[in-house]
Amino acid sequence: MADKGLTPYLMALRPHQWSKSLVVFAAPLFSFQFSHVIFLNSFLAFTLFCATSSGFYLINDSFDVKSDRRHPVKCKRPIAAGLVSIPEALLLAALLLIIAVVFGWRHAHLLGATLVAYALLQVAYNLKLKQTVILDIVAIATGFVLRACAGAAATGITLSTWFLVCTAMLALFLGVEKRKAELRLGQIQGTNTRKVLNRYSLPLLNRIESTVTTGAVMSYALWSAGPVLQGAPTPWMMITLPFVLYGIFRYQLLSDPSEVARQSHGPSYGGRGERPEEILLTDRPMALVVVVWAIAVVVILFLHKQGLLP
């Protein structure tokens, strides 16, 4: 490692994708429970999930090295580029996975079990599910749901039904968008990096997207309606619904073929939809609406706890 430096190894962990694990903070946020203890426990879950996901990124990149070298973007990853050897990647992956599960189990058995469940899901995904139509999208979504469950397990928070439904619908939305981006990029490049894409078409994915988008919006709206529907502690959370709608619509705009063509950033831009963390970090309107949504939630929480909201 000393000869090449640590940078290739760090990049092989895909730190830019750690933003996906921010979902672990959703449980305390949606339950309106905040304290320094809950934050520290949530941060622990975040760290352990980052380590676990990075471990499987290393494994995935090691097994997919041949197909990654044919991909216009993935060919730049350290393992595909030859900057990190496969034995080194697998050794680092094993260390990360062992450390994450051990620390998670010692903190809370349910957190450790959630990490194990995520690990088993990733094994199943890589062995079979990623080549199985429909179930590949479900597996991607389940990974996000398990992250949310990890946040609850680490803090002892009980998840509401609406929270789980909304998380699942949004996760399915991201999974569909990922496959749409991969399919479109394959059409642009004239290559197919996933066999499962042969079973999909843009019209099919658009219909699935319509269903899960409707489910996500409706479940969030019902949750934000307040205690009358066993949702948020206050119906004032309905104020945040427009931000959620804008975020979903903005994501759809950025992944639309016409918008991709208009941006003219080259073929790799057409695959941004398969990298939600990149859209979140690089698209200013998307980042802004997420920040405004978070501020609105915190303000409503503060005013509700102070008894200033009717």
Side-chain angles (χ1 to χ4, degrees), residues 134-145 164-180 200 205 208-213 215-216 251:
I134 305 299
L135 291 183
D136 61 325
I137 295 177
V138 173
I140 293 172
T142 303
F144 283 97
V145 174
L164 288 174
V165 172
C166 185
T167 301
M169 290 296 105
L170 287 173
L172 282 170
F173 170 78
L174 292 177
V176 172
E177 289 296 319
K178 178 180 175 65
R179 285 295 179 260
K180 280 179 61 179
Y200 287 114
L205 290 172
I208 298 175
E209 177 190 55
S210 177
T211 301
V212 299
T213 302
Y251 199 106

Side-chain angles (χ1 to χ4, degrees), residues 16-34:
H16 59 284
Q17 294 199 16
W18 290 346
S19 58
K20 295 177 182 178
S21 294
L22 289 172
V23 177
V24 302
F25 292 98
L29 182 64
F30 276 72
S31 64
F32 283 61
Q33 296 185 41
F34 293 98

Side-chain angles (χ1 to χ4, degrees), residues 89-120:
L90 294 178
L91 175 60
L92 182 56
L95 290 174
L96 288 172
L97 293 174
I98 292 172
I99 291 173
V101 172
V102 169
F103 273 84
W105 194 268
R106 292 191 63 178
H107 177 76
H109 288 350
L110 190 56
L111 175 58
T114 304
L115 288 165
V116 171
Y118 179 80
L120 293 175

Side-chain angles (χ1 to χ4, degrees), residues 11 101 120 195 227 309:
M11 298 308 298
V101 172
L120 293 175
K195 293 181 180 179
L309 293 178

Side-chain angles (χ1 to χ4, degrees), residues 43-59:
F43 186 76
L44 173 64
F46 169 77
T47 303
L48 296 180
F49 247 94
C50 287
T52 304
S53 58
S54 288
F56 279 101
Y57 291 148
L58 291 167
I59 295 173

Side-chain angles (χ1 to χ4, degrees), residues 24-252:
V24 302
F25 292 98
L29 182 64
F30 276 72
S31 64
F32 283 61
Q33 296 185 41
F34 293 98
S35 69
H36 71 282
V37 174
I38 286 179
F39 173 79
L40 290 176
N41 289 339
S42 298
F43 186 76
L44 173 64
F46 169 77
T47 303
L48 296 180
F49 247 94
C50 287
T52 304
S53 58
S54 288
F56 279 101
Y57 291 148
L58 291 167
I59 295 173
N60 295 348
D61 290 350
S62 296
F63 283 96
D64 296 341
V65 64
K66 291 183 179 180
S67 61
D68 285 352
R69 285 170 179 166
R70 298 193 301 267
H71 194 281
V73 177
K74 296 178 181 179
C75 64
K76 300 176 183 177
R77 290 175 178 173
I79 298 175
L83 299 176
V84 175
S85 70
I86 292 178
E88 290 174 332
L90 294 178
L91 175 60
L92 182 56
L95 290 174
L96 288 172
L97 293 174
I98 292 172
I99 291 173
V101 172
V102 169
F103 273 84
W105 194 268
R106 292 191 63 178
H107 177 76
H109 288 350
L110 190 56
L111 175 58
T114 304
L115 288 165
V116 171
Y118 179 80
L120 293 175
L121 173 68
Q122 292 304 307
V123 172
Y125 178 77
N126 287 291
L127 292 179
K128 182 64 177 179
L129 295 182
K130 71 177 180 180
Q131 303 299 344
T132 306
V133 67
I134 305 299
L135 291 183
D136 61 325
I137 295 177
V138 173
I140 293 172
T142 303
F144 283 97
V145 174
L146 286 174
R147 286 177 170 92
C149 291
T155 55
I157 293 173
T158 302
L159 297 176
S160 70
T161 302
W162 290 124
F163 171 82
L164 288 174
V165 172
C166 185
T167 301
M169 290 296 105
L170 287 173
L172 282 170
F173 170 78
L174 292 177
V176 172
E177 289 296 319
K178 178 180 175 65
R179 285 295 179 260
K180 280 179 61 179
E182 290 174 337
L183 181 60
R184 184 168 52 251
L185 187 59
Q187 293 173 345
I188 294 172
Q189 292 291 316
T191 59
N192 189 348
T193 58
R194 290 184 187 273
K195 293 181 180 179
V196 74
L197 295 178
N198 294 324
R199 302 290 304 278
Y200 287 114
S201 67
L202 287 179
L204 171 62
L205 290 172
N206 285 333
R207 291 195 297 272
I208 298 175
E209 177 190 55
S210 177
T211 301
V212 299
T213 302
T214 302
V217 172
M218 289 303 299
S219 58
Y220 186 87
L222 291 170
W223 171 81
S224 61
V228 67
L229 294 178
Q230 297 182 339
T234 169
W236 283 88
M237 279 299 298
M238 287 291 291
I239 294 176
T240 65
L241 180 57
F243 304 131
V244 174
L245 285 171
Y246 178 83
I248 291 175
F249 294 158
R250 177 72 184 176
Y251 199 106
Q252 290 177 316

